[in-house]
Amino acid sequence: MARRGAAALALALALLAVALARVGAQGAALQAPDYYVQETWSREPYYARPEPEPEPFSPPLPAGTGNGEREPRPPESRPPKTATKPKKAPKREKLAPEAPPPGKNSSRKGVRTKSSEKAASDDHSVPVARDEVREGCPPLGLETLKITDFQLHASTSKRYGLGAHRGRLNIQAGINENDFYDGAWCAGRNDLHQWIEVDARRLTKFTGVITQGRNSLWLSDWVTSYKVMVSNDSHTWVTVKNGSGDMIFEGNSEKEIPVLNELPVPMVARYIRINPRSWFDNGSICMRMEILGCPLPDPNNYYHRRNEMTTTDDLDFKHHNYKEMRQLMKVVNEMCPNITRIYNIGKSHQGLKLYAVEISDHPGEHEVGEPEFHYMAGAHGNEVLGRELMLLLLQFLCQEYLAGNPRIVHLVEETRIHILPSLNPDGYEKAYEGGSELGGWSLGRWTHDGIDINNNFPDLNTLLWEAEDRQNLPRKVPNHYIAIPEWFLSENATVAVETRAVIAWMEKIPFVLGGNLQGGELVVAYPYDMVRSLWKTQEHSPTPDDHVFRWLAYSYASTHRLMTDARRRVCHTEDFQKEDGTVNGASWHTVAGSLNDFSYLHTNCFELSIYVGCDKYPHESELPEEWENNRESLIVFMEQVHRGIKGMVRDAHGKGIPNAIISVEGVNHDIRTASDGDYWRLLNPGEYVVTAKAEGFTSSTKNCMVGYDMGATRCDFTLSKTNLARIREIMEKFGKQPVSLPARRLKLRGRKRRQRGG
């Protein structure tokens, strides 16, 4: 009997477990090939609806859906609409009972069609409240490359360079639009049986689709309407319905402005397919896209576990508009008042202050012997990732300093750090209105008056190179501290107020090293940015400090999680792996008047451009991972300001000599001392012959050794005044002018002649 009782108890427990498993499986998709595609309904409290809520609906897959049907082509597409200012997307409520997706506070706004709302209201069989709004899901990651090429498939393609792997939102074509890197997926035929699909590799709640046309200088190709289908096995497909018929989504009216279509109700599946139904009359079926969706929890999913990225840093991972950025700076300043100071370097065209934060153990003053470093971001207002990384870095440095992190404490106490998160706040506000997916490739890039700040500096390269080419003539242009041309300083010059503010900032503070963060690529670019040969658009143009710049660029790229990863896919058209994630700016594309070249030729500062991501404006759910990608690199690059030699140039009385010239034998580029006589010269490890000279002083030369350990080598100089300088000093002390010896000789000769004639 005891055995029978135990067996009965075991059987009862087993049956209970099976019953519970069945209950838990309701509303979730099974892994078998014939499981149903579910439609997840958004719910409200019972008192919000006059009628009871329906249960989640799981329609069976109809046989023969998808490829077998042939429909007449819809009416001809309308002419492209005039571009209008993007609208803000409405706020969304949570979709119970599912877990909220990351980045739920997304600022995704912009152009969207009314097809989804209209369908929901017209379809009486779909009980969705007219006033109801859903919580938005983040992008799956076609633009950020989280979706790999192997997850994208298409019915046909014109050629490899127009394959499904090129159908990513905002992807850019190469200059030649060649066979490998073109600007969209383009179907091999223009008919109603073409499609492009995404394999999410796990059950996903799909909520919307964003589309663009083909990026091309020469062709006009875009899709004007399409259907959306989902599947769990990529063989049997369910089309999103509009009442009893298939829903037709309105597509693009031109090739660059993204258009968002939200599904009338979310669809849970693994695959999603876009089936173009009409396209621009004179073009072909071509499109770029992004899919919005929330991956459902699945602890057994291998792909999710492999690519999962988390951060332990307690930081504010969100997009900050101008007011929120200012408030965050204030919070950091209140947390760390002893090491931070907020100041502004000027105003934008619209009057927004260009705020910067100084981080130092003695904020507000230049400490003799302590190098100055800066990061700036947002020269292009739509390249938002750099801006947010700067705000995250501010929080991180403050928190780690308070926590006593020895590495951060040493960095703060030995370096004066300046962080300027938003150089173009006017442009950012435009991009912020568009949002992270609907701003396109260029909304907000320029200043309010249409100027690209990054290329708005005076062209000093031409002045230098022309002087070097005139070898037989007296040299009028030095190899450093080249003066700004007078025309550039005139009020009528096409120079942004933000550019003038940066120039004044860089002239005031003796920066040694700086990085300007940009977006749209994943590479570190170093000067020169301008080709020396007039007839070329790409040419390797090294500076005299090319080896130092290569090291500085590599120090960032090599510590970034992805830049030097040979397995990663290129962002758009360029593969920078041959130089380990670095590139000489001019060998990439020539730019006259760049910030990097100006900084090198007009100041002591070695400036590099750091492109921190393929996606200029990632969804805020991506910010934690992007922070992890860049955190170590941001710190390592700051530490490089302590590489090379440093010291003081003093006179015989121990007083610092400002504006003294520091020359390194074999390097045709000098730097100068700051107002207190201190200097810093970035150099790679090695032995160098260094000379210090100043007007009125005799020069002094030393051998200075730079080691491999971090920390600049001390190399001080004491200069003695020349005899002529001493004579001038004595004569000025007694109110007399020094005698000019050649003039005195002429006077004596004249006297002798007069005496002989008398």
Side-chain angles (χ1 to χ4, degrees):
M1 291 296 293
R3 289 182 178 178
R4 286 183 181 179
L9 179 60
L11 178 61
L13 291 174
L15 291 173
L16 179 61
V18 171
L20 289 173
R22 288 177 179 174
V23 172
Q26 290 182 357
L30 303 176
Q31 294 297 329
D34 58 346
Y35 61 80
Y36 295 146
V37 176
Q38 298 180 345
E39 295 184 354
T40 305
W41 304 87
S42 90
R43 301 182 178 181
E44 290 183 342
Y46 69 91
Y47 52 80
R49 294 171 181 256
E51 300 177 1
E53 290 184 359
E55 293 296 322
F57 177 60
S58 302
L61 294 173
T65 300
N67 297 333
E69 60 178 340
R70 182 180 182 88
E71 299 183 14
R73 180 167 173 168
E76 296 297 326
S77 60
R78 292 169 290 183
K81 299 178 183 178
T82 304
T84 57
K85 184 177 180 180
K87 303 175 184 177
K88 294 185 179 180
K91 295 181 181 178
R92 309 158 192 267
E93 296 178 356
K94 289 187 178 180
L95 262 171
E98 298 178 32
K104 59 184 179 180
N105 296 321
S106 168
S107 62
R108 191 179 76 243
K109 310 166 186 176
V111 177
R112 53 182 286 178
T113 67
K114 296 182 179 179
S115 53
S116 58
E117 291 90 335
K118 186 175 186 299
S121 60
D122 292 346
D123 182 5
H124 300 291
S125 67
V126 180
V128 178
R130 185 169 300 187
D131 297 332
E132 183 180 23
V133 288
R134 304 190 302 271
E135 178 186 21
C137 286
L140 292 188
L142 275 77
E143 185 175 7
T144 61
L145 306 184
K146 289 183 72 173
I147 296 294
T148 68
D149 289 352
F150 299 105
Q151 293 173 258
L152 299 173
H153 308 279
S155 52
T156 61
S157 59
K158 283 190 175 181
R159 61 174 185 270
Y160 176 78
L162 293 168
H165 65 291
R166 301 296 294 176
R168 301 173 181 271
L169 191 72
N170 287 322
I171 203 165
Q172 301 296 293
I175 296 175
N176 301 320
E177 300 184 19
N178 56 33
D179 189 48
F180 294 101
Y181 301 113
D182 219 315
W185 161 69
C186 289
R189 300 184 299 274
N190 290 336
D191 59 43
L192 300 180
H193 303 291
Q194 304 307 308
W195 49 262
I196 181 172
E197 73 179 47
V198 180
D199 175 8
R201 285 181 172 167
R202 60 185 298 186
L203 284 180
T204 301
K205 181 179 69 175
F206 298 115
T207 61
V209 177
I210 301 173
T211 58
Q212 278 176 312
R214 176 181 179 179
N215 175 251
S216 172
L217 293 173
W218 323 110
L219 302 172
S220 297
D221 299 319
W222 60 82
V223 170
T224 56
S225 68
Y226 57 88
K227 291 182 181 181
V228 176
M229 295 178 281
V230 293
S231 172
N232 287 319
D233 59 5
S234 78
H235 297 293
T236 307
W237 294 86
V238 170
T239 304
V240 175
K241 299 291 183 181
N242 178 11
S244 59
D246 295 345
M247 183 168 182
I248 304 294
F249 292 91
E250 183 181 350
N252 298 84
S253 57
E254 58 88 67
K255 57 188 176 184
E256 289 299 337
I257 297 179
V259 173
L260 164 66
N261 276 293
E262 293 181 322
L263 305 186
V265 290
M267 305 287 283
V268 175
R270 171 174 169 174
Y271 301 88
I272 185 168
R273 176 178 285 185
I274 310 301
N275 169 219
R277 309 306 295 175
S278 63
W279 46 93
F280 181 54
D281 287 340
N282 298 321
S284 303
I285 296 178
C286 295
M287 66 189 312
R288 295 173 286 170
M289 67 178 186
E290 181 63 85
I291 305 297
L292 306 182
C294 299
L296 299 185
D298 183 5
N300 298 319
N301 191 292
Y302 165 72
Y303 295 104
H304 175 64
R305 293 201 318 272
R306 185 183 65 175
N307 297 320
E308 191 173 17
M309 168 58 64
T310 59
T311 181
T312 58
D313 295 328
D314 184 18
L315 307 175
D316 189 19
F317 293 105
K318 60 165 286 186
H319 287 298
H320 300 79
N321 61 24
Y322 182 80
K323 183 178 179 181
E324 293 167 338
M325 178 189 74
R326 177 68 181 87
Q327 183 61 32
L328 180 61
M329 289 179 173
K330 185 178 179 182
V331 169
V332 172
N333 180 241
E334 290 173 350
M335 286 179 60
C336 299
N338 296 329
I339 62 167
T340 61
R341 177 178 70 98
I342 303 173
Y343 66 100
N344 73 81
I345 68 169
K347 292 184 178 181
S348 70
H349 187 275
Q350 292 289 86
L352 299 178
K353 292 181 178 179
L354 307 178
Y355 284 111
V357 178
E358 175 191 344
I359 302 177
S360 171
D361 57 342
H362 292 87
E365 62 180 279
H366 170 72
E367 296 181 69
V368 176
E370 187 169 286
E372 308 251 4
F373 174 93
H374 75 253
Y375 272 130
M376 67 176 83
H380 297 146
N382 64 330
E383 294 171 5
V384 175
L385 178 55
R387 170 191 173 110
E388 294 305 328
L389 288 175
M390 292 296 91
L391 296 178
L392 292 169
L393 181 62
L394 285 176
Q395 302 171 64
F396 179 79
L397 293 176
C398 174
Q399 290 181 7
E400 295 300 302
Y401 184 86
L402 294 177
N405 182 329
R407 183 185 184 188
I408 301 303
V409 170
H410 180 267
L411 184 64
V412 170
E413 291 181 349
E414 299 298 325
T415 319
R416 191 181 182 205
I417 303 167
H418 303 258
I419 296 178
L420 177 64
S422 186
L423 181 54
N424 181 10
D426 297 347
Y428 173 80
E429 293 303 307
K430 289 182 183 178
Y432 187 78
E433 289 180 13
S436 58
E437 282 73 62
L438 300 180
W441 187 250
S442 59
L443 180 65
R445 174 184 175 91
W446 299 279
T447 63
H448 185 77
D449 48 346
I451 296 175
D452 186 336
I453 297 177
N454 194 52
N455 310 330
N456 192 221
F457 294 83
D459 172 18
L460 304 181
N461 303 58
T462 301
L463 297 177
L464 173 68
W465 293 335
E466 286 180 351
E468 289 179 348
D469 292 339
R470 295 193 301 265
Q471 296 179 358
N472 298 328
L473 298 176
R475 185 185 182 102
K476 295 182 180 180
V477 179
N479 64 10
H480 68 292
Y481 270 50
I482 300 174
I484 297 175
E486 290 185 9
W487 67 264
F488 188 90
L489 301 174
S490 68
E491 294 183 1
N492 296 328
T494 307
V495 181
V497 293
E498 296 89 347
T499 305
R500 296 192 190 277
V502 171
I503 291 175
W505 185 48
M506 298 180 74
E507 289 177 337
K508 180 180 179 181
I509 300 175
F511 291 118
V512 180
L513 177 62
N516 57 87
L517 273 61
Q518 302 190 42
E521 264 298 349
L522 204 54
V523 68
V524 182
Y526 54 89
Y528 291 125
D529 290 330
M530 180 179 175
V531 297
R532 189 159 185 168
S533 304
L534 296 177
W535 59 89
K536 293 185 178 180
T537 58
Q538 292 177 313
E539 178 186 50
H540 184 70
S541 300
T543 66
D545 286 288
D546 189 58
H547 292 292
V548 177
F549 275 114
R550 284 174 177 270
W551 168 255
L552 294 172
Y554 184 71
S555 70
Y556 193 100
S558 62
T559 49
H560 189 280
R561 287 187 61 251
L562 298 175
M563 275 192 191
T564 55
D565 185 354
R567 299 168 299 174
R568 77 171 181 87
R569 182 194 185 283
V570 299
C571 291
H572 299 283
T573 63
E574 301 286 345
D575 185 0
F576 299 108
Q577 292 306 312
K578 58 186 177 183
E579 294 188 45
D580 294 316
T582 69
V583 66
N584 173 257
S587 67
W588 182 11
H589 54 257
T590 184
V591 171
S594 75
L595 170 59
N596 294 347
D597 290 3
F598 169 80
S599 179
Y600 181 68
L601 296 176
H602 185 68
T603 74
N604 288 340
C605 184
F606 285 33
E607 185 89 19
L608 292 85
S609 293
I610 303 169
Y611 293 79
V612 290
C614 302
D615 189 351
K616 292 182 176 182
Y617 194 158
H619 190 272
E620 63 185 30
S621 62
E622 302 291 333
L623 293 180
E625 182 170 351
E626 293 293 353
W627 168 246
E628 288 296 320
N629 289 343
N630 289 275
R631 179 184 58 191
E632 179 65 16
S633 302
L634 290 168
I635 298 170
V636 167
F637 189 72
M638 285 191 287
E639 292 173 333
Q640 303 311 305
V641 77
H642 296 283
R643 181 175 295 279
I645 60 175
K646 67 177 182 179
M648 290 286 299
V649 179
R650 300 184 178 92
D651 61 17
H653 303 289
K655 183 180 179 181
I657 303 175
N659 219 32
I661 298 174
I662 306 297
S663 302
V664 178
E665 188 177 276
V667 181
N668 189 25
H669 181 80
D670 304 334
I671 57 112
R672 300 199 183 193
T673 57
S675 57
D676 296 306
D678 47 350
Y679 78 93
W680 307 263
R681 182 54 164 98
L682 297 177
L683 293 168
N684 284 341
E687 185 174 356
Y688 298 91
V689 178
V690 184
T691 300
K693 54 188 175 183
E695 187 176 352
F697 293 86
T698 57
S699 62
S700 175
T701 301
K702 284 187 175 181
N703 287 343
C704 302
M705 177 69 73
V706 178
Y708 287 90
D709 295 335
M710 187 57 67
T713 301
R714 188 88 189 188
C715 205
D716 297 324
F717 295 88
T718 300
L719 304 185
S720 302
K721 289 189 176 181
T722 61
N723 292 333
L724 181 58
R726 288 176 182 172
I727 292 171
R728 284 178 176 169
E729 187 178 282
I730 293 170
M731 299 297 285
E732 288 175 2
K733 185 176 182 181
F734 292 99
K736 297 180 180 180
Q737 295 299 321
V739 179
S740 174
L741 295 180
R744 187 173 181 183
R745 289 195 192 103
L746 290 173
K747 217 176 206 184
L748 290 173
R749 287 174 186 172
R751 243 184 232 171
K752 289 178 180 178
R753 285 173 187 165
R754 285 194 297 272
Q755 288 173 359
R756 289 172 187 170

